Amino acid sequence: MQLSPQTERPWRESSSWWPGLTEATAELDPPYGTISVEALAANAHDMLQRAQGTTIRVASKSVRVRAVLDAVLALPGYRGILAYTLPEALWLADICDDVVVGYPTADRAAIAQLAADERLASRVTLMIDSVEQLDLVDAVVPPDARATIRVCLELDASFRNPILGHVGVRRSPVRDAAAASALAAAIDRRPGFRLVGMMAYEAQIAGVGNRGPGKVAIRAMQRASAAELRERRGAAVAAVREIAPLEFVNGGGTGSLESTHADPSVTEIAAGSGLFGPLLFDGYEHFRPAPAAAFALSVVRRPTPEIATVLGGGWIASGPPGDDRLPRPVWPEGLAYLPREAAGEVQTPVRGEAARNLRVGDRVWFRHVKAGEISEHLDEFVLVEDGRILDRIPTYRGEGKVFL
């Protein structure tokens, strides 16, 4: 799979795009997922343009398909993987020599495997935000009996406002330059560890939609947060660099490529969701990725002339429960859920004018809200290019891997 730059944007014409996918996959039986090579390529290159020369580390959580990771990492401008668990990172280290685990680990078996293998230890970097996490590693394998463990220090990137309070996600307790410096010094003193990187994920910018007149306050918050973080992160990075010669400083996400790039202390940006272009990013003002990944379900019954029911459909995205976590039926256009049923595990009724014309055996196309989570429901994706099936590529699940 080669991801060449794209000049055409056929997905903008829904009336031909979704029927084209239906025709290309006519011989398949739903449920199945598709990835458009053209749309994936357009998203990958658009992300590079938005990053304006800053290296992008691919967030594997937002993909969970090794063939896609391979194809994206083959493009100049992408380098390394941000994994979400240590077992996943150890597995991916076979195809990538630079894997950072995005979250701290307490997996003792995986720590022991990492510590026993010099090659893995040279390719995988653990995330830490406290001395306790170092203690856990030492308790599994003492420093004199293991390879040196590479670690990355995470800085809290949330925004604190006297009116809004805490805005962002609850991640690291390390908030400022003094705390970062103290932890860096503690790492530097510990045998068996080497501090090689820093990370700060501004979820309140990267993962919160800001499009529309009702989002004025969110846009203002994001501008203020970016300015505050640029100063605070810069000071923390400078303080840590006095202790350790950092190889990288990671920040951001798909939704914050522009503002994270503008921070001179950042050397790379973690992003992955924008490759698949899920529903989440329809709510952003400054970019609009193509719907590269989608899934199709079959109509299996007609309980009334106004309602068609598809088999399955309850592929609910993580986050605060609500309608904005539900996959959306996008073709035929105009379909809506029944409020008392919504998207169900075994069946999903849909209504609307288009439902009257659906027959048993017809397909309904859906888009998922968050990117990589769709891969947990599928053994494989069908690659579609130029209106035909190019290949079938396994997801993590299809390769027998479920990491979290």
Side-chain angles (χ1 to χ4, degrees):
M1 175 178 30
Q2 293 185 336
L3 303 180
S4 304
Q6 302 292 304
T7 56
E8 303 295 326
R9 297 290 189 267
W11 46 86
R12 292 178 178 172
E13 296 295 333
S14 295
S15 60
S16 58
W17 178 252
W18 300 108
L21 285 178
T22 300
E23 182 177 354
T25 59
E27 300 304 314
L28 303 180
D29 290 320
Y32 57 82
T34 60
I35 293 176
S36 160
V37 176
E38 296 94 337
L40 177 65
N43 289 341
H45 287 280
D46 285 349
M47 287 167 62
L48 289 173
Q49 290 181 353
R50 293 175 55 217
Q52 299 180 57
T54 301
T55 299
I56 298 177
R57 182 181 292 273
V58 184
S60 63
K61 178 181 73 67
S62 302
V63 178
R64 308 183 204 193
V65 182
R66 286 207 290 178
V68 173
L69 295 175
D70 286 341
V72 173
L73 288 171
L75 296 175
Y78 289 91
R79 173 79 175 112
I81 293 174
L82 184 71
Y84 58 103
T85 71
L86 179 54
E88 180 209 18
L90 297 175
W91 184 58
L92 291 176
D94 280 340
I95 66 168
C96 181
D97 63 3
D98 181 9
V99 186
V100 176
V101 185
Y103 305 84
T105 185
D107 190 320
R108 289 173 171 81
I111 291 171
Q113 182 182 350
L114 174 69
D117 190 319
E118 291 278 0
R119 180 173 178 270
L120 288 176
S122 71
R123 290 178 165 224
V124 175
T125 301
L126 299 186
M127 190 64 60
I128 64 101
D129 57 38
S130 75
V131 172
E132 289 176 292
Q133 293 150 357
L134 305 179
D135 294 339
L136 177 62
V137 174
D138 282 347
V140 175
V141 184
D144 59 358
R146 68 168 191 250
T148 298
I149 303 298
R150 293 164 53 88
V151 297
C152 175
L153 189 161
E154 181 165 3
L155 180 76
D156 174 38
S158 62
F159 184 50
R160 295 180 182 176
N161 180 274
I163 297 174
L164 300 174
H166 182 279
V167 183
V169 291
R170 301 283 184 175
R171 292 175 64 109
S172 172
V174 180
R175 177 75 184 170
D176 54 27
S181 179
L183 181 54
I187 298 168
D188 190 57
R189 290 192 298 267
R190 296 283 289 255
F193 295 98
R194 184 165 77 252
L195 178 58
V196 299
M198 284 186 67
M199 174 181 172
Y201 172 52
E202 49 264 56
Q204 67 277 9
I205 304 173
V208 178
N210 59 9
R211 184 168 63 89
K215 300 297 180 68
V216 174
I218 288 179
R219 293 194 292 272
M221 176 276 292
Q222 290 175 335
R223 288 192 298 270
S225 176
E228 183 275 335
L229 180 59
R230 190 176 303 121
E231 180 177 349
R232 180 163 54 84
R233 178 162 48 195
V237 170
V240 171
R241 284 193 182 279
E242 292 182 359
I243 298 169
L246 300 177
E247 296 175 13
F248 64 88
V249 176
N250 183 282
T254 292
S256 72
L257 285 166
E258 293 85 354
S259 62
T260 307
H261 157 76
D263 186 337
S265 70
V266 172
T267 67
E268 62 177 41
I269 304 171
S273 295
L275 296 169
F276 280 1
L279 279 173
L280 177 69
F281 294 123
D282 285 3
Y284 283 71
E285 182 180 62
H286 52 292
F287 73 104
R288 179 69 67 85
F295 65 97
L297 302 177
S298 290
V299 175
V300 293
R301 56 170 42 142
R302 297 296 313 271
T304 75
E306 296 80 23
I307 297 173
T309 301
V310 300
L311 190 66
W315 299 8
I316 313 301
S318 61
D323 290 345
D324 63 351
R325 301 288 121 175
L326 300 178
R328 182 184 304 164
V330 293
W331 191 263
E333 291 181 325
L335 296 176
Y337 293 124
L338 276 62
R340 293 187 178 181
E341 292 195 52
E345 180 185 11
V346 291
Q347 72 163 38
T348 298
V350 291
R351 65 183 180 184
E353 188 61 33
R356 292 178 173 271
N357 298 319
L358 289 171
R359 298 292 178 262
V360 170
D362 286 349
R363 290 165 177 75
V364 174
W365 285 94
F366 292 78
R367 290 176 61 203
H368 199 263
V369 174
K370 299 182 76 174
E373 293 178 18
I374 186 177
S375 301
E376 297 298 335
H377 297 275
L378 299 165
D379 287 339
E380 66 179 14
F381 277 102
V382 178
L383 281 182
V384 178
E385 185 176 27
D386 293 330
R388 61 183 180 84
I389 294 177
L390 176 68
D391 200 357
R392 296 169 182 250
I393 53 175
T395 61
Y396 283 8
R397 170 177 144 167
E399 295 197 68
K401 301 294 184 180
V402 179
F403 294 108
L404 190 62

